[in-house]
Amino acid sequence: MQLNGSEIVIECLKEQGVDTVFGYPGGAILNVYDELYKHRDEIRHILTSHEQGASHAADGYARATGKVGVCLATSGPGATNLVTGIATAYMDSIPIVAITCNVGVSLLGKDSFQEIDITGITMPITKYSFIVKDVTKLADTIRKAFRIARTGRPGPVLVDIPKDVTAAVTEYEREELGKVTPDISQVSDEGISRALSMLESAERPYVFVGGGAVLSGASEEIREFVRKLDAPVADTLMGKGAFPGTDSHYTGMLGMHGTKTSNYGVSECDLLVVLGSRFSDRVTGNTETFAKNAKILQIDIDPVEINKNVIVTEEIVGDIREVLKIINRNLKQQDHSEWLEKIQQYKEKYPLKYHTDALTGPFVVEEIYRQTKGDALIVTEVGQHQMWAAQYYRFTKPRTLLTSGGLGTMGYGLGAAMGAKVGCPEKTVVNIAGDGCLRMNMNELATAVRHNIPVIEVVINNHVLGMVRQWQDLFYDERYSATVLRDAVDFVKMAEAMGAEGIRAESQEEFREAFAKALTLNKPVLIDCQIDSDDKVWPMVAPGADIKEAFDEDDLKNK
């Protein structure tokens, strides 16, 4: 049948099973929005307050559901406003498709009004960037974009469409969505055999779980693997929930703000099994001394990650879930009770702790955990509150912590929380924010109200840029350059002005009551939690130091 480009865009979205898009209209993309209006009963459009909010919402939708998230923007500044969200998704391997429209083909390259080379700009931060100048190639390009976004190591793809292409007419024929099969083409019997030999000869093995394990959907296989290997487990920020945080084998996060148990255990192990982690500097500390007593077995879908930051002993390139299925079938039951007992002693000696006599970030997170019974989708911004959420909320399922790990994007959380709630309407969705981050995205609270998206925004308000101030305290002789936010901004009034419920909490009891109320309201709620400006995230490893050099408040006092 004959369709114009805009009709083809919408039909291709329907082919891919897209039920929600996030975006902001403008002149260049107006034809697509006109067609979207005609299909509003089939595809829901969430009009955000800013295009960056749309890209983060598509990201949050993708992380929470496992589907491909979709965002739309017009040419020029509309398209460039997506860039930070696209980069956030790229760093964390999140499948989104960003569709932008540009000036007409004849106007490209002429500095036309609101023209920008968005494919050139986003090339380094996408798996692929397309510009479609021929309407006959539009349908296949959109299908290819979705296929690239969701296969192999997932990630964002951008499709830019000149306005005249959205109006041009060509023949369109519907295609059924093909099934995605996990890639284990590079997995050899010899590689599996070498891995099994390493696993069965280890005396002090440690399992280290990263974000790739979440994306692979390998949680069940990891639990079986850990039981058979009989080993302790640490994770990254991105790996939260791939292995249950309530399991006795679990020792907490690894790295700069990881537990002492995980940092000491990995430093002493003789085999480190790495499942879908890219060895971020925040995890490894000094790479020269990281796990220096251990052989390292790395399992990852992306060969680029092998030996990139840390040299490994053996690698298996392939989908983690499928690789572990093979290993689990062949791995003999191991017994490392003595090693696990030593790790347990570390857990008892070095528990996470905080001051319990005041309202603090850790208390807020633990109270959220108690009231949600550990069954919420937790979204965070970036900073101290992000680390407290990772430390004190015990994630037992994958896709339940949504956070910007690689890029560290302040302003990510509120958009992502809306996307997560739209994708998983039955779940309680809580965005844990800092007051600095809220200033970067609080306009999206109006979006949540406009579309009746009942997210709970919990603001850990210390009136400073907390994590930067912590570094200024510890490494810059308390020179608080541009990190103090004490001004007249009232977040409760701001929330109320936008149509949300605003509640202030200055004590533990006030927060208990405020959060309990928020759970009953079924509307956007902001809780402004007033905490001390000098509260810190403990433990901590100084940048570039050995992870064994983790220190906390007591260590500083005793130094």
Side-chain angles (χ1 to χ4, degrees):
M1 60 180 147
Q2 293 280 310
L3 297 180
N4 65 37
S6 296
E7 292 170 326
I8 289 171
V9 170
I10 301 304
E11 290 303 318
C12 285
L13 293 180
K14 289 160 61 177
E15 279 182 11
Q16 299 295 323
V18 174
D19 54 23
T20 306
V21 296
F22 306 87
Y24 206 96
I29 202 171
L30 205 50
N31 290 339
V32 173
Y33 267 83
D34 188 54
E35 192 61 31
L36 187 61
Y37 179 85
K38 300 172 188 175
H39 294 266
R40 61 191 181 276
D41 293 335
E42 298 166 277
I43 300 176
R44 182 184 184 188
H45 178 267
I46 303 295
L47 175 64
T48 55
S49 298
H50 189 281
E51 290 91 351
Q52 185 172 325
S55 59
H56 292 325
D59 175 303
Y61 178 95
R63 294 192 202 221
T65 64
K67 303 176 184 178
V68 178
V70 180
C71 55
L72 309 177
T74 195
S75 62
T80 58
N81 281 343
L82 296 178
V83 168
T84 298
I86 293 171
T88 300
Y90 182 75
M91 289 291 283
D92 291 342
S93 304
I94 305 304
I96 68 171
V97 170
I99 297 175
T100 58
C101 287
N102 216 320
V103 299
V105 172
S106 64
L107 296 174
L108 292 171
K110 297 181 179 180
D111 292 334
S112 304
F113 176 68
Q114 289 193 335
E115 179 199 357
I116 201 75
D117 178 13
I118 193 62
T119 56
I121 289 171
T122 58
M123 191 176 295
I125 55 168
T126 55
K127 287 186 73 176
Y128 210 99
S129 292
F130 298 92
I131 181 167
V132 186
K133 299 179 183 179
D134 181 350
V135 71
T136 64
K137 298 178 181 179
L138 180 57
D140 285 344
T141 301
I142 293 174
R143 292 165 185 149
K144 187 182 294 185
F146 276 85
R147 186 165 62 250
I148 292 171
R150 65 162 63 95
T151 55
R153 180 177 183 168
V157 178
L158 180 130
V159 181
D160 191 36
I161 312 168
K163 186 171 183 178
D164 50 355
V165 175
T166 67
V169 175
T170 190
E171 188 69 21
Y172 164 82
E173 186 174 337
R174 179 180 173 83
E175 286 189 8
E176 294 303 316
L177 182 62
K179 185 177 181 181
V180 176
T181 55
D183 182 13
I184 54 171
S185 60
Q186 297 186 64
V187 179
S188 66
D189 292 341
E190 293 80 7
I192 294 291
S193 179
R194 289 193 297 270
L196 288 169
S197 177
M198 293 174 70
L199 293 167
E200 292 176 358
S201 62
E203 296 180 357
R204 300 184 307 280
Y206 224 107
V207 178
F208 177 41
V209 179
V214 173
L215 298 171
S216 174
S219 296
E220 184 177 333
E221 288 74 19
I222 292 172
R223 288 195 295 272
E224 181 181 350
F225 175 66
V226 169
R227 287 194 297 271
K228 294 194 79 171
L229 185 59
D230 199 31
V233 182
D235 58 15
T236 68
L237 178 66
M238 300 307 302
K240 290 288 175 186
F243 186 79
T246 53
D247 192 283
S248 61
H249 288 75
Y250 180 71
T251 63
M253 198 161 59
L254 180 69
M256 178 174 283
H257 293 295
T259 63
K260 286 187 175 183
T261 300
S262 291
N263 286 1
Y264 294 168
V266 167
S267 298
E268 296 172 16
C269 73
D270 66 356
L271 173 64
L272 183 63
V273 184
V274 184
L275 306 177
S277 172
R278 58 191 174 83
F279 290 113
S280 161
D281 58 292
R282 286 296 194 263
V283 163
T284 63
N286 185 346
T287 55
E288 296 298 319
T289 59
F290 177 76
K292 65 179 180 179
N293 298 311
K295 294 178 180 179
I296 300 178
L297 169 61
Q298 184 177 6
I299 303 175
D300 202 288
I301 199 167
D302 189 352
V304 172
E305 291 300 334
I306 308 299
N307 296 324
K308 185 177 81 174
N309 295 323
V310 171
I311 303 301
V312 303
T313 313
E314 185 67 47
E315 75 273 1
I316 300 178
V317 176
D319 182 89
I320 296 168
R321 182 181 181 186
E322 299 305 313
V323 172
L324 286 181
K325 284 180 180 178
I326 298 170
I327 289 176
N328 288 341
R329 284 197 298 267
N330 295 279
L331 179 62
K332 298 174 184 175
Q333 180 63 51
Q334 303 296 299
D335 181 3
H336 297 111
S337 53
E338 188 174 330
W339 170 234
L340 285 170
E341 176 57 32
K342 182 175 184 179
I343 296 300
Q344 181 60 34
Q345 290 172 6
Y346 278 149
K347 288 169 71 173
E348 293 170 0
K349 186 176 181 180
Y350 302 114
L352 290 172
K353 58 184 179 179
Y354 61 92
H355 296 286
T356 58
D357 56 351
L359 185 62
T360 64
F363 171 84
V364 166
V365 173
E366 288 198 327
E367 185 62 24
I368 293 172
Y369 179 81
R370 282 190 288 268
Q371 293 200 30
T372 61
K373 298 179 175 61
D375 194 34
L377 292 184
I378 301 297
V379 189
T380 81
E381 306 288 349
V382 171
Q384 288 180 315
H385 59 276
Q386 178 188 34
M387 295 297 101
W388 285 325
Q391 290 175 330
Y392 289 95
Y393 198 98
R394 287 176 284 174
F395 297 93
T396 59
K397 299 174 184 175
R399 301 190 181 280
T400 52
L401 174 62
L402 283 56
T403 191
S404 173
L407 197 63
T409 306
M410 293 177 68
Y412 164 81
L414 185 50
M418 293 191 300
K421 183 64 177 179
V422 170
C424 303
E426 76 287 352
K427 302 291 288 187
T428 297
V429 177
V430 182
N431 182 43
I432 301 176
D435 49 319
C437 292
L438 178 62
R439 293 162 187 265
M440 295 192 176
N441 64 17
M442 56 189 179
N443 52 348
E444 297 301 345
L445 200 58
T447 305
V449 172
R450 181 189 309 119
H451 293 281
N452 191 29
I453 306 172
V455 295
I456 301 174
E457 176 90 352
V458 175
V459 185
I460 311 296
N461 189 352
N462 54 10
H463 301 279
V464 295
L465 298 178
M467 188 59 85
V468 185
R469 181 185 176 92
Q470 178 165 331
W471 281 46
Q472 289 173 333
D473 255 342
L474 298 173
F475 310 122
Y476 289 86
D477 296 326
E478 301 181 1
R479 294 187 296 275
Y480 302 128
S481 176
T483 53
V484 178
L485 304 178
R486 293 194 177 276
D487 50 32
V489 177
D490 187 324
F491 292 141
V492 171
K493 290 182 179 178
M494 179 275 295
E496 292 171 345
M498 291 191 179
E501 183 84 8
I503 311 172
R504 184 168 288 107
E506 298 183 2
S507 67
Q508 293 182 356
E509 187 54 38
E510 286 180 354
F511 179 74
R512 286 192 192 97
E513 294 174 358
F515 193 76
K517 180 180 180 181
L519 289 173
T520 69
L521 290 179
N522 196 35
K523 65 179 291 189
V525 180
L526 182 148
I527 305 174
D528 181 11
C529 305
Q530 301 285 318
I531 74 164
D532 191 275
S533 298
D534 288 315
D535 282 359
K536 292 181 174 60
V537 179
W538 302 117
M540 183 176 186
V541 177
D546 192 312
I547 59 171
K548 295 198 307 295
E549 298 173 18
F551 62 93
D552 57 24
E553 193 172 23
D554 291 337
D555 295 323
L556 282 182
K557 290 177 181 177
N558 297 330
K559 190 172 181 180

